[in-house]
Amino acid sequence: MSAWCALLSVRPPGLSEAGTRLASVAGRSGRISDDDIALVRERSPIADVVGEHIQLRNAGGGNLKGLCPFHDEKSPSFNVTPARGYYYCFGCAEGGDVITFIRKIDNLTFSEAVERLAQRAGIQLRYEQGGYVPGREQGERVRLIEAHRAAAEFYAERLSGPDAGPGRRFLSERGFERADAEHFGVGYAPNEWEALSRHLMSRGFTSQELIKGGLAREGRRGPVDRFRGRLVWPIRDITGDVIGFGARKLLDSDDGPKYLNTPESPIYHKSSVLYGVDLAKREIARRSQAVIVEGYTDVMACHLAGVPTAVATCGTSFGEEHIKVLRRLLLDQAEFRGEVVFTFDGDSAGQKAALRAFQDEQKFVTQTFVAVQPDGLDPCDLRVKQGDAAVRDLIAGREPLFAFAVRSVLARYDLDTNEGRLAALDAAAPIVASIKDPGLRKAYTVDLDRWIGFMDEGFVIRRVQQTAGRAQESGRGPGGRAQGGPGGRVAAGRQGGRGPAARPDPAGPDPADPAVRLEAEALKLAVQRPALLGPEFDALGPETFTLPEHAALFGVVAAAGGTAAGGPGGREWVDRLLEQTEPGAAGAVPGVDLRSLVTRFAVEAVRADVNVEDRYGAAVLAKIQETAVARAVARLKSRLQRLNPVDEQQEYNRLFGELVALEQQRRVLRERASGA
């Protein structure tokens, strides 16, 4: 225990000296300086910020791609373009810059998002129209995050105090040393009514903030600490900010629950929080593996034993919101490349938990497994009794979750009798029938026959098919679950977020038409590489474009000074275009979401290798000009057909001369467009 007494000052991971500046620094008021907003954008690389929430992979053309955090999807359609600082999802049409992303992902106001990014980048913001005014409130989220950071530091420092002996003993008995506690930020809540509350209020936080954040509760004479006489684990969000705590009872005199967690608050939502995800996210992405354990000490044990992909839920069962977090980190696609491993105690409660996990199994695209220690040891106890290698072996010996679920059901029946085998088949058939993949369902049907011992594969297959048929007739999915409920795959682009963009009017131009796609490519170049098009593009006119939104976007480019004013493109040019989409701006069109269209075209990859972009730009411009000339040719031919060459000879000859000139122009453009 002597090593623990040397723990004089523990700073939770991620807390630099600058990061420990707390809310004793007065709040701000007024409008954030435009220069500071620009500086925040500059020092907040969008790939880094977005990459703290989802896994991004190279998509070519300078773009990155991942699973959208704003709607559920099976394959990635969320694109990030670091060079221009924008993102766009082609599934739900959400797009914007780094500030927009933080606003949407954390449900913040614009000012709160800027403040959070400024804090991340170490920028001191300046406020206009009132400036630096002591005592004024900052954004609520920023204040609560700072309060929790201060609380985490307070608890960590108290772990070395004389009254924290039971907490240090608890950790030592479970194989954790001082450095381990420091790495995970473990602390101790003094067995006093107001120790934390007094400390935080002396740092400038109000009692209302402490209560709202779940750090304290209302007492008869003011706030009283929520956690007292307990070992405390800081719970961080995916970016590393402390948003809550989990506390373990240590004293016999404590009549509260064994584990007590922060209640729901503006920054803590237990249904989407995973303990350890801030430490595990990079390894989860690198290894394409996530290990789900049941407790804080299990996460610690797994990480220290060489399983750094372990995370745990916080006071609630594993559910749909947790799945969304993991899918984004795993880049969970149609390929069965990654894996999710559930670990549970070997007792009946653990088996029930595993079967509950089975209900959500098919919301993952990747493979799912279960790892259960036969002697009932959880990863923490297993590490203490058998060492680090035993924890790694537990994960390595994982079993497919479908197989575990079926075997768990069969274990309840006597398979030595015909009656027992038939009852076991009827109990297991709904599980097998609920498997969505036909090939996998057939394979498990064959396994089911072998595990039960019928030795009549056809009979078992028919029984499983009958079960599936009855479930469909009753309007419920196989296994007795309502269709679309737990166990069904989440339809890509249909859950959450804004959903996909509305389908075009069938009476209007078809976006899949080659000419329309060509228009989009030209506008994409105008947004990304305006110098490749120059004055020739600006001379086209809005009538060149068949889709109304394309014509409107051409107007936005014109209002921003045309492609001749865009130079090489980049962030400043995109920002100038976006300014023209604001209500009342020259390029704004009521009823058309031009901001989203600009963002989309700023992110969507150009359909040409960067080495041939010059030739490609000229070819696209020539092709779209040729298309416009072709339409003019068609109109002239139609007019000529309506004229009488004898009675209207002069007009006929004039139009025929124009037609010859246009056809010549068309041939020249066709040659130039050969590279498009």
Side-chain angles (χ1 to χ4, degrees), residues 464-479:
V464 171
Q465 290 173 339
Q466 290 169 3
T467 299
R470 287 195 297 270
Q472 290 173 356
E473 288 174 4
S474 65
R476 303 182 67 80

Side-chain angles (χ1 to χ4, degrees), residues 626-637:
E626 182 205 348
T627 302
V629 170
R631 286 198 290 266
V633 166
R635 288 194 297 270
L636 269 179
K637 287 182 176 180

Side-chain angles (χ1 to χ4, degrees), residues 28 114 116 179 295 364 372 421 503 550 619 669:
R28 282 79 168 162
V114 173
R116 182 166 190 190
F364 286 106
V372 176
R421 285 195 292 270
R503 294 184 180 274
H550 287 176
L669 290 170

Side-chain angles (χ1 to χ4, degrees), residues 257-271:
K258 182 177 179 180
Y259 280 94
L260 185 63
N261 293 295
T262 294
E264 291 284 311
S265 77
I267 62 173
Y268 180 80
H269 307 288
K270 64 182 180 181
S271 64

Side-chain angles (χ1 to χ4, degrees), residues 18 27 41 175 405 422 427 429 556 604 623 656:
R41 285 195 177 101
L422 189 59
V556 167
E604 188 173 345
K623 185 67 175 176
F656 188 81

Side-chain angles (χ1 to χ4, degrees), residues 640 643-646 648-660:
L640 282 168
L643 291 176
N644 187 317
V646 177
E648 301 172 284
Q649 183 178 8
Q650 186 176 357
E651 178 67 6
Y652 185 92
N653 290 340
R654 185 183 68 80
L655 293 180
F656 188 81
E658 289 184 16
L659 178 61
V660 171

Side-chain angles (χ1 to χ4, degrees), residues 492-550:
R494 295 181 181 274
Q495 301 292 326
R498 286 168 43 187
R503 294 184 180 274
D505 181 355
D510 181 4
D513 183 273
V516 174
R517 290 204 303 268
L518 182 68
E519 293 176 12
E521 199 69 9
L523 289 166
K524 198 189 307 177
L525 288 171
V527 173
Q528 296 184 26
R529 306 281 195 275
L532 298 180
L533 301 179
E536 279 191 87
F537 175 87
D538 299 332
L540 291 176
E543 67 279 356
T544 304
F545 301 89
T546 54
L547 280 186
E549 55 265 39
H550 287 176

Side-chain angles (χ1 to χ4, degrees), residues 76-96:
S77 59
F78 184 89
N79 285 253
V80 176
T81 304
R84 287 177 287 280
Y86 284 91
Y87 71 91
Y88 187 82
C89 176
F90 293 92
C92 67
E94 287 284 1

